[in-house]
Amino acid sequence: MLARSVWRLLGRAGPAAAPAAPQAVPQTPAPPQPLAETSISEAINELESDVVAAMRRLNDGLDQAEHCSERSEVRSREIRGGMAELREAAVQASDNSAALATATLQVSEAAERVGAAMSGARDMLDNAAERAAEATEMINGLAAATSEIRSIVDAIAEIARQTNLLALNATIEAARAGEAGKGFGIVAQEVKSLSLGVREAVDHIRNRVDRLNQAAQGSAAVVTDAFRLVGEVNPVMATVGEASQEQAAAAAELSRSAEATARFIDTVRDRVGEVDRVALAAAQENIDARRALAEGARQAEGLLERFVPTLRHTVFADRRQHDRFPAECPARLTFGERVASGQTIDLGFGGALLSVADPEIKPRMRGTIAIEGVPPFPCRVMARSDLGLHIAFERGEDEAHAALHRRLAQIEEGYRPLIEQAQEFAHRVAALLEAALRTGRLSEEDLFDTDYVPVPDSNPRQFSNRALPVLQAILPAVMEEAKASDPRLVFTLPIDRNGYVPVHHPEYSQTQRPGDPDWDPAYSRDRRIFDDRAGITAARSARPFIIQSYQRDMGSAGIQLMREVDAPVRVAGRHWGGVRMAYRMA
């Protein structure tokens, strides 16, 4: 029997035999709904469709904005990288410009010194030219004097020659005179000797004068050449001096330009620093914007996930006319020639949630469904979601519907003890909260306080509210007593309408460990808001009970497949939230 299968699935032996299945009673079509109810139902359906579509568009827009922000962040980082390179280049250019300014200043100073030296050299050459001219005049005068001396020497030489001839004649005449002319002969001989000495001295003087004249002529030629060279070099020196002055002026102008360039580069470097700071600020703003957009997208996605359960679990908008039960039953869908196989995730009199892999099955398709042990009957595809394929049953053969009723009665019978246990737990929690209100430990405003205050430095984020201290005092005992009633239970928790869990069991209420992302999600689960689909369904459902299956993320402990039975909690005539009693399936 399926009842025993359910009990085995939950790890419990169950009753020895299932009670007798209800008799198959032919069902008549449901009477038409009043016009007002039909209008409300249609309005709610349209509201749901519009809000879901708008939220999906918003989510898509936020995703695109996040991508744009991410690209902008990348561009800002690239700008920062370029600015860093430009700043380094500007620093190098500034150093080079400063070095160039120093070098050109030194060149300018050297050029000025060269110009001054050239000017001094030109003055010295001018003085040398004047002295050369004077030397030329003196040498020319010396040449003239030597010429006059040579003439005098020549005259003396001629006199000496004639004196020698006279002395020779006198000697001859003295020899003829004999003894009488002997003294005269001696004088003549001395005169002859003296004339010979004079002639030798004159020859010696002539040679010296000739050499002096040659030297004077050579000096005159050298001085003339020097004077000519000075005349040729002097314009060159003047040109060099003028060029040095021009070079000094150009170097000075270049030095001023280099200094101006260095100052400009310093300005550029400062601007680069400002741009870098702006790019850094822009990158940080993009990071913040991307985080905000990601958080907005997450919030929008969470709102989208919460909207439909929240809307559909209100009394006036609940489309379910029958309860749904988690059940894994083989099923086969047929749409014309297309056949798809899968299994049910949950099952009720009005429809089922199926796990079917065929992506070609689209909403609004009509066909038949065959669930194990139940004859085929008509169905219609309502939607496809992350949970699976949502199927609505349509009116078919009475025999098929009677078989479905019997199957569901067996499933419900298997869950009935768990449902009653959850409802009892909800009643006890409500009684504790009512008592706290009566005794004044809590005010109604505090109990229904939704101004959740984040706990500093908590991750995952924990919260407190005004009712927390009292709830931490009165709830643990009843929670532990409920958990001890069945060894398969993982947790038994009260949860308010927003998914806030004020108190958890001690093993899941450990102090957070910063920097340990595996520990906190698994063992620091108190004072958190669980507003995922399972949590918000348990929190907002006003139905007598809800049974649901889901995967529970336990961080380092992995993913746990859970099945829980939930019941609503009403306090002071208001829906406060619910209780969750979770059973481990594997």
Side-chain angles (χ1 to χ4, degrees), residues 315-535:
V315 175
F316 65 88
D318 191 354
R319 289 183 298 194
R320 293 185 179 181
Q321 298 178 0
H322 308 283
D323 294 313
R324 291 281 186 92
F325 300 94
E328 292 78 27
C329 302
R332 185 180 71 256
L333 290 169
T334 303
F335 301 96
E337 296 181 356
R338 177 176 294 278
V339 177
S341 297
Q343 68 176 11
T344 62
I345 299 174
D346 63 37
L347 183 63
F349 290 119
L353 177 63
L354 299 181
S355 173
V356 177
D358 191 344
E360 296 301 320
I361 300 177
K362 307 292 184 183
R364 294 187 296 276
M365 292 179 64
R366 293 178 181 271
T368 60
I369 182 171
I371 300 172
E372 185 181 43
V374 178
F377 52 89
C379 69
R380 176 164 52 99
V381 179
M382 300 298 294
R384 178 182 288 275
S385 70
D386 294 338
L387 300 175
L389 200 63
H390 300 264
I391 300 294
F393 299 152
E394 296 186 340
R395 186 66 186 173
E397 297 292 336
D398 291 340
E399 181 181 355
H401 281 273
L404 178 61
H405 275 238
R406 289 192 296 270
R407 173 61 64 89
L408 288 172
Q410 293 173 352
I411 295 174
E412 182 176 2
E413 183 64 24
Y415 279 112
R416 180 52 55 186
L418 306 184
I419 295 171
E420 292 174 354
Q421 189 174 4
Q423 291 172 336
E424 174 62 21
F425 179 40
H427 177 73
R428 296 184 64 186
V429 169
L432 285 175
L433 299 180
E434 292 275 6
L437 293 179
R438 286 195 306 272
T439 59
R441 297 185 66 180
L442 274 176
S443 67
E444 190 171 337
E445 290 75 14
D446 290 344
L447 179 61
F448 287 89
D449 175 31
T450 58
D451 185 16
Y452 307 108
V453 179
V455 175
D457 302 324
S458 57
N459 186 23
R461 184 61 59 86
Q462 294 176 306
F463 302 88
S464 64
N465 67 356
R466 296 195 299 270
L468 180 63
V470 176
L471 298 181
Q472 288 177 326
I474 65 176
L475 291 179
V478 69
M479 290 168 53
E480 292 302 318
E481 184 178 350
K483 183 172 179 289
S485 65
D486 193 323
R488 298 164 300 162
L489 279 167
V490 178
F491 61 79
T492 54
L493 297 177
I495 181 172
D496 78 359
R497 293 188 75 256
N498 294 312
Y500 179 55
V501 175
V503 183
H504 213 300
H505 298 286
E507 61 268 32
Y508 301 121
S509 302
Q510 304 293 322
T511 302
Q512 289 194 352
R513 298 178 180 177
D516 189 350
D518 291 331
W519 169 269
D520 296 337
Y523 302 107
S524 299
R525 302 178 70 85
D526 63 318
R527 295 174 293 166
R528 288 175 54 189
I529 295 177
F530 294 94
D531 55 359
D532 56 312
R533 186 180 183 90

Side-chain angles (χ1 to χ4, degrees), residues 233-263:
V233 169
N234 199 31
V236 175
M237 297 297 290
T239 302
V240 171
E242 293 176 356
S244 297
Q245 292 178 354
E246 293 176 357
Q247 181 182 11
E253 182 64 25
L254 181 60
S255 178
R256 288 191 293 271
S257 299
E259 290 176 355
T261 301
R263 289 193 298 271

Side-chain angles (χ1 to χ4, degrees), residues 198-211:
V198 169
R199 189 176 62 184
E200 290 177 356
V202 168
D203 290 340
H204 182 69
I205 290 171
R206 184 184 294 116
N207 291 333
R208 291 292 180 88
V209 169
D210 288 341
R211 289 196 296 271

Side-chain angles (χ1 to χ4, degrees), residues 179-223:
E179 282 297 328
K182 186 176 180 179
F184 182 74
I186 292 171
V187 172
Q189 185 65 33
E190 290 295 328
V191 169
K192 180 181 178 181
S193 299
L194 181 60
S195 66
L196 290 174
V198 169
R199 189 176 62 184
E200 290 177 356
V202 168
D203 290 340
H204 182 69
I205 290 171
R206 184 184 294 116
N207 291 333
R208 291 292 180 88
V209 169
D210 288 341
R211 289 196 296 271
L212 179 61
N213 190 27
Q214 291 175 357
Q217 291 178 354
S219 297
V222 171
V223 170

Side-chain angles (χ1 to χ4, degrees), residues 20-70:
Q23 297 295 322
V25 179
Q27 297 184 4
T28 58
Q33 292 180 333
L35 181 59
E37 293 183 6
T38 302
S39 299
I40 293 174
S41 178
E42 291 176 352
I44 290 172
N45 290 338
E46 292 177 1
L47 174 63
E48 177 184 347
S49 299
D50 292 343
V51 171
V52 169
M55 292 303 297
R56 285 175 177 165
R57 289 194 299 271
L58 173 61
N59 202 35
D60 292 341
L62 289 173
D63 288 341
Q64 293 178 2
E66 182 180 357
H67 293 324
C68 292
S69 178
E70 184 175 4

Side-chain angles (χ1 to χ4, degrees), residues 554-573:
M554 292 295 290
S556 60
I559 302 296
Q560 296 178 349
L561 184 60
M562 309 295 293
R563 178 163 294 171
E564 69 179 40
V565 182
D566 308 322
V569 173
R570 298 186 66 82
V571 180

Side-chain angles (χ1 to χ4, degrees), residues 19-287:
Q23 297 295 322
V25 179
Q27 297 184 4
T28 58
Q33 292 180 333
L35 181 59
E37 293 183 6
T38 302
S39 299
I40 293 174
S41 178
E42 291 176 352
I44 290 172
N45 290 338
E46 292 177 1
L47 174 63
E48 177 184 347
S49 299
D50 292 343
V51 171
V52 169
M55 292 303 297
R56 285 175 177 165
R57 289 194 299 271
L58 173 61
N59 202 35
D60 292 341
L62 289 173
D63 288 341
Q64 293 178 2
E66 182 180 357
H67 293 324
C68 292
S69 178
E70 184 175 4
R71 290 195 298 270
S72 177
E73 180 185 342
V74 172
R75 297 294 183 271
S76 296
R77 289 177 178 173
E78 292 176 354
I79 290 173
R80 286 202 65 211
M83 288 300 102
E85 296 177 358
L86 181 58
R87 184 171 58 252
E88 293 177 359
V91 170
Q92 185 64 37
S94 179
D95 294 341
N96 293 340
S97 296
L100 177 61
T102 302
T104 51
L105 182 60
Q106 293 174 352
V107 169
S108 176
E109 293 174 350
E112 289 178 354
R113 290 195 297 270
V114 169
M118 290 297 101
S119 179
R122 188 173 61 184
D123 293 340
M124 295 175 65
L125 286 175
D126 289 341
N127 292 333
E130 292 177 358
R131 298 295 181 272
E134 293 174 358
T136 299
E137 291 179 359
M138 293 176 63
I139 289 172
N140 289 335
L142 179 61
T146 55
S147 297
E148 293 177 358
I149 292 172
R150 183 176 177 80
S151 299
I152 294 171
V153 170
D154 287 343
I156 294 173
E158 181 63 25
I159 293 170
R161 185 181 65 77
Q162 292 178 0
T163 300
N164 188 30
L165 288 176
L166 289 174
L168 180 59
N169 290 333
T171 301
I172 294 171
E173 291 297 331
R176 289 179 179 172
E179 282 297 328
K182 186 176 180 179
F184 182 74
I186 292 171
V187 172
Q189 185 65 33
E190 290 295 328
V191 169
K192 180 181 178 181
S193 299
L194 181 60
S195 66
L196 290 174
V198 169
R199 189 176 62 184
E200 290 177 356
V202 168
D203 290 340
H204 182 69
I205 290 171
R206 184 184 294 116
N207 291 333
R208 291 292 180 88
V209 169
D210 288 341
R211 289 196 296 271
L212 179 61
N213 190 27
Q214 291 175 357
Q217 291 178 354
S219 297
V222 171
V223 170
T224 300
D225 290 340
F227 185 74
R228 179 178 57 80
L229 290 174
V230 168
E232 293 176 353
V233 169
N234 199 31
V236 175
M237 297 297 290
T239 302
V240 171
E242 293 176 356
S244 297
Q245 292 178 354
E246 293 176 357
Q247 181 182 11
E253 182 64 25
L254 181 60
S255 178
R256 288 191 293 271
S257 299
E259 290 176 355
T261 301
R263 289 193 298 271
F264 173 75
I265 291 175
D266 288 339
T267 302
V268 171
R269 184 175 58 186
D270 294 339
R271 294 296 183 269
V272 166
E274 293 177 2
V275 172
D276 183 61
R277 288 190 293 274
V278 171
L280 177 61
Q284 185 60 46
E285 288 178 358
N286 282 323
I287 292 174

